[in-house]
Amino acid sequence: MCEKSGNHFGKDVLQTEQTKNTDGNFDHVEISECRDTNTVCKTRVYRRRWLIVILFSSYSLCNAFQWIQYGIINNIFMKFYNVSSFAIDWLSMIYMLTYIPFIFPVTWLLERKGLRVIALFAASINCVGTWIKVASVQPNLFWVTMLGQFTCSFAQVFILGMPSQVASVWFGSDEVSTACAIGVFGNQLGIAIGFLIPPILVPNVDDMNELAQHISIMFYITAAVASLIFLLVVFVFQEKPEIPPSLSQVALRDMPTTQYSYLASIARLFCNKPFILLLISYGLNVGCFYAVSTLLNRMIIEHYPGEEVNAGRIGLTLVIAGVVGSLLCGIWLDKTKTYKQTTLTVYLLSFVGMVIYAFTLNLGHLWVVFLTSGALGFFMTGYLPLGFEFAVELTYPESEGTSSGLLNCSAQMFGIAFTIIQGKIIDHFSTLAGNIFLCVFLFIGSIMTALIKSDLRRQKANSQPQTEVIADSSVHPQDGKSLKEVKM
């Protein structure tokens, strides 16, 4: 045990010890205890937190893999189902479209029932969708594969905005950004595998029976993995730790539930000007990423015919570089807390990367495309956890699930619009024109990010005395009213 004297920020004792949980396992790592004249509080982190975030990342990975598994071999599925390229694009865009109307009821459910219920819905619905697709491997059953993809897209609504929520509920203030990056990592890795595996498992062959067999193998593997993950979620995933991991979580737990109104929370977020700027700029950046990912096969095949496998590898490079970027950005935020500076820098470099990618795609050298795609992915995909964590800082004490859900809703809307418009520009003009279209909006997003006022409310809550945190948790900075006064 180690003790600190004095009363810095209302804390005078810090304890570190190991205790048994109710299962008899030593999974508790650190206890922090703070005292002031009016209150005593404890924060504690558990080893189990790593299992929770890895399990979340696993079912996020399985779901994200299915988003891009059709688009990266667009031409092969066009041939198998005898449909247009636009119809196959919708197998990816359905993920974006489904998110928009369902995110609000799902976020409400998160606030009412908690993380475990959301995790069970996500894993079970995703599992059902994979088995529906197993039954769709016939050329006349495109509608069945669309139904399966819709089901998986519905599961995504229970997943995409959760990394910051899982991180805040289970992790201490000095590792929450890293945990959020790990949560986003699962989604990114799933996309990366979605770029890599389908071109290998489903080669471009002319025999329809052989092609059906290859597609069936891919669908069965996906269904088996989804089923295993569902069982793990049922038996392993927990709602929250017994003792909260940070002072900001202590304050939120001390807030009476009768003082919370979901509709009032949404209203306050839309009155928060820095958050609105982030909401739009995040949507522009991630919407561009969705468009590039969905249309990557078409862009590569146009300039490098017959290179379906390399198109997948380029997509893999794009996302793996982004995974590295995400983890590094998360670690950097935990060390420096420079949210706006880091977000703006990464955004500007995303714009630069997109410009370089646009003007080098048609040079005729695949190694150049691999290089520029890696640079683009490092910054564009690396931006994802930055946006989540910056939003939580700007909107505390509002729910992390609500702010993240709105960010993703913005991204889905821009993603659908950018994918359709860029696809039409590519069809009628060129891939260069389509990519320049995205560059313009990334530049606009960079300007909007520069205009965001950095108000790190969660950091302030974690650094002030506990009595102040509890008092502040019932008053919202936007309007100075208590939650009870604005309850609907």
Side-chain angles (χ1 to χ4, degrees), residues 140-192:
N140 62 331
L141 293 181
F142 179 74
W143 68 273
V144 177
T145 212
M146 178 63 82
L147 176 62
Q149 190 72 342
F150 167 76
T151 305
C152 293
S153 72
F154 184 51
Q156 182 210 215
V157 186
F158 295 86
I159 299 172
L160 205 56
M162 295 304 111
S164 57
Q165 182 82 5
V166 173
S168 295
V169 168
W170 280 93
F171 288 80
S173 60
D174 59 342
E175 56 190 12
V176 67
S177 296
T178 302
C180 182
I182 294 172
V184 174
F185 166 81
N187 182 272
Q188 296 170 328
L189 185 59
I191 296 171

Side-chain angles (χ1 to χ4, degrees), residues 31 43 53 56 89 105 125 148 153 169 215 279 317 328 332 391 459 480 488:
I31 303 175
T43 61
V53 74
F56 167 79
D89 288 344
I125 295 171
S153 72
V169 168
I215 294 173
L279 183 69
T317 303
L328 290 178
W332 175 259
Q459 293 305 313
M488 298 178 67

Side-chain angles (χ1 to χ4, degrees), residues 280-296:
I280 298 172
S281 60
Y282 182 91
L284 292 173
N285 188 300
V286 182
C288 288
F289 170 72
Y290 288 160
V292 169
S293 299
T294 302
L295 301 173
L296 184 63

Side-chain angles (χ1 to χ4, degrees), residues 256-267:
T257 56
T258 56
Q259 290 186 356
Y260 179 78
S261 168
Y262 177 64
L263 293 179
S265 177
I266 295 289

Side-chain angles (χ1 to χ4, degrees), residues 240-282:
K240 61 185 177 182
E242 181 180 352
I243 296 176
S246 65
L247 292 180
S248 58
Q249 283 296 304
V250 171
L252 291 177
R253 290 197 190 184
D254 286 339
M255 183 188 302
T257 56
T258 56
Q259 290 186 356
Y260 179 78
S261 168
Y262 177 64
L263 293 179
S265 177
I266 295 289
R268 285 189 296 272
L269 288 176
F270 278 106
C271 292
N272 185 329
K273 292 181 181 179
F275 176 70
I276 293 300
L277 286 171
L278 179 63
L279 183 69
I280 298 172
S281 60
Y282 182 91

Side-chain angles (χ1 to χ4, degrees), residues 229-468:
I229 292 173
F230 169 64
L231 291 175
L232 288 173
V233 170
V234 170
F235 292 107
V236 176
F237 199 94
Q238 288 185 339
E239 171 65 28
K240 61 185 177 182
E242 181 180 352
I243 296 176
S246 65
L247 292 180
S248 58
Q249 283 296 304
V250 171
L252 291 177
R253 290 197 190 184
D254 286 339
M255 183 188 302
T257 56
T258 56
Q259 290 186 356
Y260 179 78
S261 168
Y262 177 64
L263 293 179
S265 177
I266 295 289
R268 285 189 296 272
L269 288 176
F270 278 106
C271 292
N272 185 329
K273 292 181 181 179
F275 176 70
I276 293 300
L277 286 171
L278 179 63
L279 183 69
I280 298 172
S281 60
Y282 182 91
L284 292 173
N285 188 300
V286 182
C288 288
F289 170 72
Y290 288 160
V292 169
S293 299
T294 302
L295 301 173
L296 184 63
N297 174 270
R298 292 172 60 181
M299 290 190 282
I300 298 300
I301 296 302
E302 178 175 328
H303 295 290
Y304 306 92
E307 294 288 356
E308 289 90 356
V309 173
N310 272 323
R313 290 170 180 165
I314 290 168
L316 174 69
T317 303
L318 181 83
V319 180
I320 290 297
V323 167
V324 176
S326 292
L327 293 175
L328 290 178
C329 287
I331 294 170
W332 175 259
L333 283 185
D334 279 332
K335 297 294 184 184
T336 66
K337 308 300 182 186
T338 54
Y339 288 86
K340 179 178 176 178
Q341 298 92 321
T342 305
T343 301
L344 178 58
T345 300
V346 171
Y347 209 120
L348 285 169
L349 291 172
S350 297
F351 164 68
V352 173
M354 189 68 211
V355 171
I356 295 172
Y357 171 81
F359 285 94
T360 58
L361 181 62
N362 61 353
L363 293 182
H365 302 291
L366 271 173
W367 68 268
V368 175
V369 182
F370 274 97
L371 188 63
T372 56
S373 296
L376 177 63
F378 183 88
F379 297 110
M380 186 175 281
T381 315
Y383 172 79
L384 297 177
L386 295 179
F388 282 152
E389 285 297 290
F390 197 17
V392 173
E393 292 292 336
L394 294 174
T395 60
Y396 180 86
E398 308 296 351
S399 166
E400 296 89 348
T402 305
S403 60
S404 297
L406 288 173
L407 289 182
N408 282 316
C409 189
S410 173
Q412 311 307 317
M413 289 190 289
F414 281 113
I416 292 172
F418 287 167
T419 301
I420 293 174
I421 295 172
Q422 188 187 18
K424 296 298 181 182
I425 292 174
I426 290 173
D427 290 340
H428 292 88
F429 298 97
S430 66
T431 55
L432 177 60
N435 287 324
I436 290 175
F437 164 78
L438 298 183
C439 291
V440 171
F441 285 97
L442 283 174
F443 180 70
I444 294 171
S446 299
I447 295 174
M448 297 182 73
T449 302
L451 297 175
I452 296 173
K453 180 182 178 182
S454 183
D455 182 12
L456 307 183
R457 297 172 180 172
R458 184 176 61 179
Q459 293 305 313
K460 293 176 183 176
N462 280 323
S463 64
Q464 62 184 302
Q466 178 64 8
T467 49
E468 295 180 25

